[in-house]
Amino acid sequence: MTYDPNTELLNKYRIESLIGAGAFGEVYRARHLALRAPCALKVLRRDAPGVGSSDFQRCRERFQLEAQLGAKLRNQPYVIQVYDFEHDGDALILVTEFAPGGSLADQLERTREANTCLPVPEVLRLGQELAEGLAALHAL
């Protein structure tokens, strides 16, 4: 079950659109109601199709670790910022910075669809940013 646009979660976020979905959850573009600021909500739900209780518990532990690591990586320029991590019934919600440019996969797909290649300086810049973000994560 996905959330419809204009659905409010945790009495402070309004869903604007679905960004992506995976086996156990979804990612939404949302807006913090009081701050009027965009954010992304990564939602892991117990009622996802094919999710057993042991699957959910294992994913919950990994999801919580992702939230904890993200919170420790504040002010890292190449890592999406984590703002909050909450429970809403049988859903876990990770609130993060919204990256309007989309993912690297989105960018590569757009390039493929346009039948072009990324310029070498862009590839080098992306590679450096990825390496710096991963280095910060691995330092933890």
Side-chain angles (χ1 to χ4, degrees):
M1 174 189 115
T2 58
Y3 295 111
D4 294 322
N6 294 317
T7 300
E8 287 187 19
L9 292 179
L10 304 169
N11 295 315
K12 58 184 168 181
Y13 301 104
R14 178 173 291 125
I15 301 292
E16 293 182 344
S17 63
L18 177 68
I19 297 172
F24 296 108
E26 302 89 27
V27 179
Y28 297 90
R29 178 186 170 122
R31 186 156 303 274
H32 190 287
L33 295 172
L35 302 177
R36 297 184 182 166
C39 59
L41 303 181
K42 188 173 183 180
V43 181
L44 175 67
R45 291 201 315 255
R46 184 187 268 317
D47 66 355
V51 177
S53 60
S54 61
D55 294 327
F56 183 78
Q57 184 58 34
R58 188 178 71 253
C59 288
R60 177 187 177 140
E61 290 166 3
R62 290 184 64 194
F63 198 55
Q64 190 157 4
L65 178 61
E66 179 182 346
Q68 291 167 345
L69 289 173
K72 291 179 182 178
L73 289 170
R74 294 227 181 257
N75 303 318
Q76 292 293 331
Y78 306 116
V79 177
I80 294 290
Q81 296 298 295
V82 170
Y83 298 140
D84 203 355
F85 181 67
E86 299 212 25
H87 301 255
D88 186 26
D90 280 343
L92 301 174
I93 301 170
L94 178 63
V95 182
T96 69
E97 166 186 10
F98 175 71
S103 68
L104 177 58
D106 294 339
Q107 186 174 1
L108 293 174
E109 182 60 30
R110 287 190 299 269
T111 303
R112 269 192 293 277
E113 288 174 356
N115 201 26
T116 62
C117 296
L118 289 174
V120 172
E122 178 73 2
V123 171
L124 294 173
R125 182 187 64 77
L126 289 169
Q128 180 180 351
E129 290 174 2
L130 285 166
E132 288 183 33
L134 286 171
L137 179 62
H138 285 287
L140 291 177

